[in-house]
Amino acid sequence: YYQCQNISPLIIGNVALFIESNRVRTLGYTLENDGYDGNNVSVFASHLFMGRQVVEWDYVSETSQVIFSMADGDAVTMTFVPEHQLFAFTRYQTKGWFESICTVKDGGKEAVFAVVLRVINGEYKSYIERFVINEVVKSKDDDFLFLDCASELKSETKVSKISGLDYL
């Protein structure tokens, strides 16, 4: 018996993931046991969850990752490949506060979007930010912005002066 926190479980293949007392647990049927069984898959990453609360989570099937938004503003990612017993964790930190995080289909691919609260010129502002997931980077200068809270101008005409970017 394991109690599930007030966050909906994720169903990934034939396994359910749920949060229980600062642990990430699995639940699934096993033929060997002829019943339901589960494991604490966060046992080697307990420091990422101890004393912290998961606010939201979602699954990115293209990269087999579960992304967690934590109550303290950080984010945690778990690579989850149960058929190979692979469970790897990392922590995201930004100069801001992750308020919400989700996965959406974007042009036939999955994309992770986050709402990040940032202090810009002394004011709190929320930004919707997109993570680059599983895309081939041809040139770091031309294809992607690898920055916290970036703005980009795409113009067909030559521009010699840009204004309104004081917050950067």
Side-chain angles (χ1 to χ4, degrees):
Y1 173 78
Y2 298 102
Q3 185 176 2
C4 182
Q5 287 183 344
N6 290 332
I7 295 175
S8 296
L10 294 176
I11 308 301
I12 302 169
N14 61 354
V15 175
L17 283 177
F18 66 98
I19 306 291
E20 177 262 329
S21 298
N22 298 319
R23 294 177 191 91
V24 180
R25 297 193 65 88
T26 62
L27 177 65
Y29 181 82
T30 62
L31 193 57
E32 298 84 26
N33 296 335
D34 192 23
Y36 292 93
D37 197 5
N39 295 308
N40 174 3
V41 294
S42 61
V43 68
F44 294 117
S46 61
H47 62 286
L48 294 176
F49 296 93
M50 201 56 68
R52 302 173 80 197
Q53 180 184 358
V54 176
V55 175
E56 211 169 27
W57 62 346
D58 210 347
Y59 179 62
V60 186
S61 62
E62 286 184 23
T63 57
S64 301
Q65 291 179 317
V66 176
I67 300 180
F68 305 81
S69 174
M70 310 301 280
D72 62 6
D74 281 351
V76 172
T77 298
M78 172 181 72
T79 301
F80 180 71
V81 188
E83 62 269 22
H84 298 292
Q85 296 181 346
L86 175 64
F87 317 106
F89 291 82
T90 191
R91 183 176 170 192
Y92 284 123
Q93 289 181 299
T94 187
K95 291 186 178 182
W97 188 282
F98 285 98
E99 293 182 303
S100 182
I101 201 159
C102 71
T103 305
V104 296
K105 289 286 185 183
D106 183 20
K109 293 186 175 187
E110 284 179 306
V112 175
F113 286 87
V115 177
V116 181
L117 181 67
R118 299 187 183 280
V119 178
I120 307 294
N121 292 330
E123 287 185 52
Y124 288 94
K125 295 183 179 184
S126 293
Y127 291 88
I128 297 175
E129 301 180 10
R130 181 181 182 271
F131 287 31
V132 176
I133 300 279
N134 207 25
E135 294 182 27
V136 176
V137 178
K138 296 175 186 162
S139 166
K140 70 177 177 59
D141 299 322
D142 297 331
D143 291 341
F144 298 102
L145 296 173
F146 291 101
L147 305 168
D148 283 349
C149 191
S151 291
E152 180 178 20
L153 170 68
K154 292 185 178 181
S155 176
E156 304 236 348
T157 61
K158 187 175 180 179
V159 176
S160 61
K161 185 176 180 181
I162 299 173
S163 62
L165 302 175
D166 297 337
Y167 64 94
L168 293 176

